Amino acid sequence: MAATTSTLRARVHATLRHSDDSRSGRRWRAFHLLVLGSGLLAVALSSVQSLPDIVDHLLAVVIGLVAAVFLVEYALRLWSAPESPRYGGLSDSRARLSWAFSATGLIGLLAVVPAFAITLSAIKADSDIASIFCILWILKLSVHAPAMTTLARVISNERATLASVLIVFIIVLVAAATATHFFERDVQPELFGDLPSSLWWAVVTLTTTGYGDVVPHTIGGRIVGSVVMVSGILVLALMTGILATGFAEEVRRREYLRVWDQVVKVPMFTELGTVTLSEIVGKLRVRYYPPRFVVVRRDEPGDSMFFISEGEVEVRLPRDPVRLGQGGFFGEMALLDRLPRSATIVTTRPTTLLVLYASDFYEIAAHIPSLVAAVEKEARRRRQENEAGRIVSGRTA
Ligand code: CMP
C-alpha cells in the first residue's frame, strides 16, 4: 500500500514538474496555462464597470473555478513535495514545510489566497478586489519560463560586475543631484530647493525616462543635465551588455553539459581522448524527437549528420528497412558524397539525436581523421549493401 502511494506520489510530482517532458507533463502545462490565461482574462474583464449582470456573474464563476484548480494544484504539490530530489534525506513533513516556504510554494499559496477568501466569503469574486488576484496569478506565469533559473544564475554570476556598475550609477546620481541643486536652488527653489527633489530629477534623467516635469533653467544645470543624460545611456548599455553576455555564456555552458550527457552514450565518441571529445562536444546539438518523426527524407539535400544517443530509427531502404539504435549514426552519405539523401529515416520511439552540421563535419574531418575514417568505412559498407540489395531486387523483379 505504501509502495503504491509512493509510486502515485512520484508520478504526480513528475507530472507537475515544469521541466517534465512526458506527455502527461506537457498536457498538464498546457492545461495550467489555459486555466491561468482564462483566470487573468476573467479578472481583467471583471474590472470593467459597465458589464451586464449576467456577464459579471459568469466571470465570477470562472474566477472561482480557476481559484479552485489552483487550490487543488497547491495541495498536490504540497503532498508530492517529498519526492523532490532537493529534499532528499528530509522527513515528509519537513520536505513539505521546506517546499511551502520556497519561492514556488509561496507563489502557489498567494494564488490560492483568493480561493480561501471566496470560500470564507470574505470578498465576493466579482468585487473590485478581484483585480488584485491578477497580480497574484501572474506570478504563476514565472514558473512556466524555463529561462527563469538561468536568469537568476546569470545575476548571481555577474553580481560583482553588476554591483560595480550600480555603484557608478549611484555616484553619478548623487553627484548630479548635488550639482543641479547647487545651480538651480535659487532659480527654482520649489523643484531643486532640497536634495531629495534634485535626486528625483537625477533619477528621471539618468534612467533616460525624462518626464519633463522638472527641467533645469540655468546654464550650469543644463550642462550637468547633458552629462547625466549621456552617462545614463552608458550605464544602461553597460548593464545590458553584462547581462546579455552572462546570459549567452550561461546558455552555452548548459548546452555544453546537455550535449556532454548525451555524447558519453555514444561509444564512437568515448573512444576519443578527452581533449578531442571536448572539441567535438562544442560542435554537436541535442535534438529530441517523438516516435514516427521523419528526421531525414530521401532525395532532399543533406546539411547535417546524426548520432543516436538514445532511442532508435528506421532507415527506409527500397528492400527491407534497417534499424539503427543507440550509438549508431546516419546522414553521413549526403555529406561525404555531396549528394541528396539516399533514404528516408523515421524514429520508431522517443529518440535523442546529436546533430553535426556539414560545416562542422568538414572541419572535424581535418582535426579528427580517425572519427571521420570510421564514418567513411561504415558509409562504404552501406553503399555496397545498398548496391547489392538493388541488384538482388532488380533480378527478383
Ligand atoms: P544519407 O544519404 O545522408 O541519408 C540517408 C541515410 O541513411 C544515409 O545517409 C545513411 O546514413 C543511411 N543509410 C543508407 N543506407 C543504409 C544502410 N544500408 N544501412 C544503414 N543505414 C543506411
Side-chain angles (χ1 to χ4, degrees):
M1 179 67 196
T4 318
T5 315
S6 166
T7 323
L8 180 68
R9 201 172 69 177
R11 235 181 299 145
V12 168
H13 179 263
T15 306
L16 293 180
R17 218 176 37 196
H18 285 276
S19 54
D20 187 53
D21 206 34
S22 68
R23 188 191 289 217
S24 52
R26 283 199 301 271
R27 277 191 186 154
W28 157 249
R29 281 197 296 281
F31 172 71
H32 190 254
L33 270 178
L34 186 76
V35 170
L36 186 58
S38 316
L40 290 172
L41 189 70
V43 169
L45 289 177
S46 70
S47 68
V48 178
Q49 299 294 330
S50 54
L51 287 176
D53 277 357
I54 175 84
V55 177
D56 259 345
H57 219 76
L58 208 71
L59 291 174
V61 171
V62 172
I63 291 169
L65 283 175
V66 171
V69 171
F70 288 159
L71 182 61
V72 173
E73 183 202 352
Y74 183 81
L76 287 176
R77 282 189 189 278
L78 191 66
W79 172 63
S80 63
E83 297 294 333
S84 169
R86 206 187 306 171
Y87 308 125
L90 293 184
S91 67
D92 283 8
S93 46
R94 276 190 152 265
R96 288 191 183 114
L97 202 67
S98 304
W99 178 81
F101 282 101
S102 70
T104 328
L106 290 173
I107 290 174
L109 186 68
L110 283 177
V112 296
V113 166
F116 289 129
I118 292 167
T119 320
L120 300 172
S121 303
I123 50 168
K124 278 203 166 63
D126 57 353
S127 77
D128 267 356
I129 297 172
S131 55
I132 293 170
F133 300 172
C134 195
I135 298 158
L136 305 179
W137 286 351
I138 201 78
L139 290 174
K140 284 185 85 70
L141 204 55
S142 63
V143 290
H144 282 277
M148 218 61 177
T149 44
T150 313
L151 186 63
R153 176 74 72 87
V154 171
I155 292 173
S156 159
N157 288 351
E158 304 295 333
R159 59 184 181 280
T161 334
L162 288 173
S164 311
V165 178
L166 210 66
I167 288 168
V168 172
F169 183 88
I170 292 168
I171 292 172
V172 176
L173 194 76
V174 175
T178 315
T180 335
H181 167 65
F182 175 76
F183 287 119
E184 297 284 329
R185 64 186 161 178
D186 297 330
V187 186
Q188 303 185 75
E190 69 291 355
L191 297 178
F192 290 97
D194 49 63
L195 267 180
S197 312
S198 302
L199 268 174
W200 165 248
W201 167 83
V203 170
V204 169
T205 313
L206 195 57
T207 55
T208 69
T209 309
Y211 287 132
D213 56 340
V214 192
V215 181
H217 287 165
T218 64
I219 301 275
R222 285 182 178 179
I223 291 173
V224 174
S226 311
V227 174
V228 172
M229 279 184 254
V230 175
S231 310
I233 294 171
L234 290 180
V235 168
L236 291 183
L238 221 61
M239 286 264 195
T240 315
I242 293 167
L243 284 178
T245 318
F247 209 82
E249 229 163 68
E250 186 61 27
V251 168
R252 202 165 49 82
R253 207 166 16 230
R254 281 182 181 224
E255 178 65 15
Y256 191 89
L257 291 177
R258 209 156 65 108
V259 175
W260 191 278
D261 280 351
Q262 300 302 325
V263 160
V264 292
K265 295 177 191 161
V266 181
M268 248 182 125
F269 293 133
T270 45
E271 284 159 11
L272 301 168
T274 320
V275 178
T276 321
L277 194 60
S278 57
E279 187 187 341
I280 202 165
V281 167
K283 301 201 183 308
L284 293 165
R285 303 279 171 273
V286 182
R287 296 283 178 269
Y288 303 100
Y289 294 94
R292 293 184 296 282
F293 189 92
V294 179
V295 185
V296 155
R297 213 177 280 276
R298 190 187 158 100
D299 291 334
E300 279 186 357
D303 64 347
S304 49
M305 72 167 291
F306 305 82
F307 296 88
I308 307 167
S309 66
E310 263 170 18
E312 189 190 59
V313 298
E314 187 178 86
V315 185
R316 296 197 173 154
L317 296 162
R319 49 184 182 87
D320 293 338
V322 174
R323 292 203 167 194
L324 301 173
Q326 185 172 355
F329 62 85
F330 60 89
E332 78 293 349
M333 283 158 81
L335 303 190
L336 291 169
D337 305 338
R338 299 186 194 243
L339 285 172
R341 298 290 190 197
S342 59
T344 294
I345 298 189
V346 183
T347 56
T348 58
R349 50 180 130 115
T351 301
T352 309
L353 299 177
L354 291 159
V355 187
L356 181 65
Y357 288 103
S359 54
D360 293 324
F361 176 80
Y362 299 129
E363 205 185 312
I364 281 174
H367 288 138
I368 319 170
S370 61
L371 181 75
V372 180
V375 170
E376 268 174 347
K377 191 174 164 207
E378 177 61 13
R380 251 194 318 273
R381 191 199 64 76
R382 288 175 179 176
R383 255 181 243 119
Q384 280 167 3
E385 193 178 77
N386 294 353
E387 202 53 45
R390 217 166 290 145
I391 292 164
V392 169
S393 55
R395 273 201 204 124
T396 321

